[in-house]
Amino acid sequence: SQQGEEDPQALSIQEGENATMNCSYKTSINNLQWYRQNSGRGLVHLILIRSNEREKHSGRLRVTLDTSKKSSSLLITASRAADTASYFCATAISGGSYIPTFGRGTSLIVHP
Amino acid sequence: DTAVSQTPKYLVTQMGNDKSIKCEQNLGHDTMYWYKQDSKKFLKIMFSYNNKELIINETVPNRFSPKSPDKAHLNLHINSLELGDSAVYFCASSPRRGGTDTQYFGPGTRLTVL
């Protein structure tokens, strides 16, 4: 089964700055989802982008998908201290049975 | 109105013991999952059930046995606990099986094996 790999592993920024994290995967996908995990909590779904979409927005979040490079990015604009969390991407393989695959996540710290 | 709940939240036990973790979802979803998150935050799927039927079993030792008495519950029983079983275990659910659905996660159960 394929795996999404997030990069960087850790990111530390000041409040108000933008945060960008990336996800790379290995084989063709149906869709890619981004999740957030606050410390000591379960994952919370943020956004889903389908393989025929290139960009999607939700509030301060912008997700892009480049299927030719097999990569996706999550941009958080005007970050807040409350955005401090780990961010994971999850992929669903094209034409295969759905085995959700997550990476190790990007740990984001936003300093007030 | 917790959507996906797990009990217990923390579990500390000795090597060799048998323990269970319970999961319930009140979302009316057909599909439920168990994940293991290790100390490096790597999240790995263990099992998935769809309408009480096992659909995913990802090379998990047979000391781990999931049980789904109905589609709202998916429990995880672990026999002969080992040190390497220490991790956070997450239950999740989704409306249907398949990759287009959002998964809803429980708060996790932190298992520590001494």
Side-chain angles (χ1 to χ4, degrees):
Chain A
S1 59
Q2 76 172 62
Q3 182 175 18
E5 289 286 342
E6 295 89 350
D7 176 73
Q9 287 189 31
L11 184 59
S12 179
I13 59 174
Q14 294 295 129
E15 215 168 23
E17 294 179 341
N18 294 343
T20 300
M21 50 208 90
N22 304 294
C23 171
S24 59
Y25 56 91
K26 294 174 184 168
T27 60
S28 296
I29 59 172
N30 276 330
N31 65 69
L32 185 145
Q33 301 185 47
W34 284 93
Y35 287 79
R36 183 186 74 231
Q37 183 182 31
N38 289 90
S39 180
R41 303 280 187 94
L43 279 72
V44 174
H45 181 258
L46 294 176
I47 201 163
L48 179 151
I49 187 164
R50 302 186 193 286
S51 59
N52 61 354
E53 296 175 313
R54 290 296 166 258
E55 190 170 308
K56 213 161 178 182
H57 297 253
S58 176
R60 293 183 297 112
L61 306 180
R62 183 174 79 115
V63 169
T64 61
L65 179 64
D66 187 336
T67 52
S68 66
K69 294 181 179 176
K70 293 187 171 57
S71 69
S72 173
S73 67
L74 170 66
L75 168 68
I76 304 174
T77 59
S79 63
R80 304 167 182 168
D83 294 328
T84 294
S86 291
Y87 292 83
F88 293 83
C89 65
T91 54
I93 304 169
S94 294
S97 60
Y98 177 53
I99 300 177
T101 53
F102 291 80
R104 284 187 173 79
T106 292
S107 177
L108 173 66
I109 296 175
V110 182
H111 299 278
Chain B
D1 288 358
T2 306
V4 182
S5 59
Q6 296 177 227
T7 54
K9 188 168 173 63
Y10 299 96
L11 187 52
V12 181
T13 188
Q14 299 287 332
M15 233 174 13
N17 284 349
D18 303 339
K19 290 294 177 186
S20 292
I21 307 172
K22 294 186 176 182
C23 178
E24 177 181 0
Q25 54 97 1
N26 63 6
L27 298 167
H29 289 171
D30 285 346
T31 309
M32 296 184 73
Y33 309 82
W34 275 111
Y35 288 87
K36 178 181 180 181
Q37 187 173 44
D38 62 23
S39 57
K40 295 183 179 178
K41 291 201 168 180
F42 183 54
L43 192 67
K44 185 174 172 60
I45 188 161
M46 300 173 69
F47 300 104
S48 178
Y49 270 71
N50 186 69
N51 265 321
K52 303 193 297 176
E53 178 189 351
L54 179 67
I55 56 171
I56 295 174
N57 182 345
E58 282 289 291
T59 59
V60 178
N62 57 15
R63 297 183 296 104
F64 290 79
S65 52
K67 282 190 173 52
S68 182
D70 54 61
K71 75 173 193 178
H73 295 84
L74 180 60
N75 304 322
L76 184 64
H77 188 76
I78 315 169
N79 288 328
S80 303
L81 279 156
E82 300 178 356
L83 294 176
D85 298 332
S86 294
V88 182
Y89 292 83
F90 287 99
C91 177
S93 72
S94 63
R96 296 166 299 270
R97 63 187 292 182
T100 57
D101 283 350
T102 296
Q103 292 188 47
Y104 294 78
F105 282 77
T109 295
R110 182 174 292 277
L111 171 65
T112 303
V113 182
L114 303 175

